[in-house]
Structures are given as C-alpha cells and as structure tokens.
Amino acid sequence: MPLTKLGRGGGVALAVDLLNSWDELEPEPDLLSTRWLRYYLDFHGVSASVGEDDIQAARDLRERLRRGFDAASEDEAVEALNAILRDFGEPPQLERVGRRWRLRYGPREGRPIDVVAPAAALGLLEAIREHGLGRFGHCSAAPCRCVFVDRSRNRSRRYCCELCADRANQAASRRRRRPGA
C-alpha cells in the first residue's frame, strides 16, 4: 500500500493514509506496527517516538476516522469527526512554518496520535465543507478496502491508487478475452 499522493502532512493525507493501513491484499491485513507507524509519521513530517501503546491508539483513531468516512450522512460524518476534535484538539493557533503561516489545531509534541488526530479529523471536515461527503470513496478493485478523497473535476475516481486501477483493468481484460464472454 503506497502512501497517498495528496501531499505530505496535510490533514486529508494523514487521514487517508491511516485509514488505508488495513489492506486486504496483504497476508496480514492490519499493517499497523511500530515500524509502519514510524514510517507514516516520518513521511508526514511528524517527529515522535513510537512505542507499542501507540499502535493501539492508532488503531482506535483509525476506527473513529472510519466512522466519519463511512457515515451515511454528512451530519453523521461531521458529528463523528467533531468528536475527535473535541477529544484531541486544542484551540487553533497560528504558527510560522518556514516563510508561510498555518493554523495548528493540536499539540506540537506528545504522543504521535495526539498530534495526528486533530489534523486528520480537520482535514476530512474541510473536505466535507468544500466538496461534500460524496467525494469520499472506497476502492472499486476487490478485495481492496482502501479509501480516497476524489478531487477529480468530474468525480470519476474509482480506485485508491494506480496499482489497484491496473489490477482491476487487467482482470476485466482477461474476463473479456475468455471464450464465451
């Protein structure tokens, strides 16, 4: 499972990558381990030490984000994601990063999940505000369970990544070439 191309450290990317840490195509579908969590945090620019207790906290956050992502209505999704912000967020603060300014909604330091949770929840809430819940999608390449936020102009995205798109298209091509198809 490649990490998202949505950009490093952004809230939507943090959420999508954590949600996609469960991969049905792997022999052990739950990819969350101390090694994976270290890579994920490093990829997104979050510096934190990772211990075994952080794995369970990451699994719990993944399930809470999934409730927001898989919600039947926008109101239900917003309530689930706002609950994460209530539990992990702090009042927003403007901080300088390089030459630019950004709003930070969580702690600068602490447990890795304390840093990731508010940014991930806020990223998904921003996506709902700007584009609606209809932009949240699940990969169409069975048995993949990965998710994505469709940012295409015509809302045509069907797969979580190019690997799944290629795999699904090759399988469809083989089905069409079979005798009697």
Side-chain angles (χ1 to χ4, degrees):
M1 181 264 335
L3 291 178
T4 186
K5 292 181 179 180
L6 291 170
R8 295 178 176 200
V12 172
L14 284 164
V16 166
D17 285 343
L18 185 58
L19 286 166
N20 289 343
S21 66
W22 181 277
D23 190 349
E24 293 291 325
L25 299 176
E26 296 293 329
E28 290 293 322
D30 190 354
L31 302 177
L32 268 172
S33 64
T34 52
R35 182 176 177 221
W36 187 93
L37 191 56
R38 270 189 215 109
Y39 177 73
Y40 163 79
L41 294 169
D42 185 52
F43 181 84
H44 287 289
V46 177
S47 59
S49 61
V50 176
E52 282 298 319
D53 55 330
D54 295 317
I55 303 305
Q56 188 55 49
R59 285 185 180 122
D60 294 342
L61 176 60
R62 179 179 62 195
E63 292 312 309
R64 291 182 74 182
L65 289 170
R66 186 164 301 280
R67 282 194 292 272
F69 201 93
D70 292 342
S73 69
E74 285 183 1
D75 290 337
E76 188 180 323
V78 167
E79 179 54 37
L81 296 171
N82 276 338
I84 295 171
L85 280 180
R86 279 192 298 276
D87 293 345
F88 290 95
E90 293 180 356
Q93 295 184 22
L94 191 62
E95 65 181 13
R96 187 176 290 280
V97 178
R99 294 181 170 209
R100 304 184 70 191
W101 292 98
R102 77 169 179 195
L103 281 173
R104 181 176 47 81
Y105 286 85
R108 200 176 277 121
E109 297 175 353
R111 291 184 332 154
I113 297 309
D114 293 341
V115 175
V116 169
L122 187 64
L124 293 179
L125 285 167
E126 283 289 318
I128 291 171
R129 182 181 63 81
E130 289 191 24
H131 306 292
L133 190 62
R135 293 294 185 126
F136 290 13
H138 294 82
C139 187
S140 295
C144 183
R145 287 180 28 141
C146 290
V147 299
F148 56 87
V149 175
D150 185 357
R151 293 186 170 171
S152 65
R153 186 171 282 184
N154 61 356
R155 299 178 187 220
S156 61
R157 186 168 176 184
R158 295 176 41 206
Y159 304 106
C160 65
C161 65
E162 292 167 8
L163 179 69
C164 280
D166 290 346
R167 190 172 47 79
N169 290 331
Q170 288 172 359
S173 176
R174 284 191 295 275
R175 279 193 303 272
R176 285 190 303 270
R177 284 185 281 166
R178 265 191 228 134

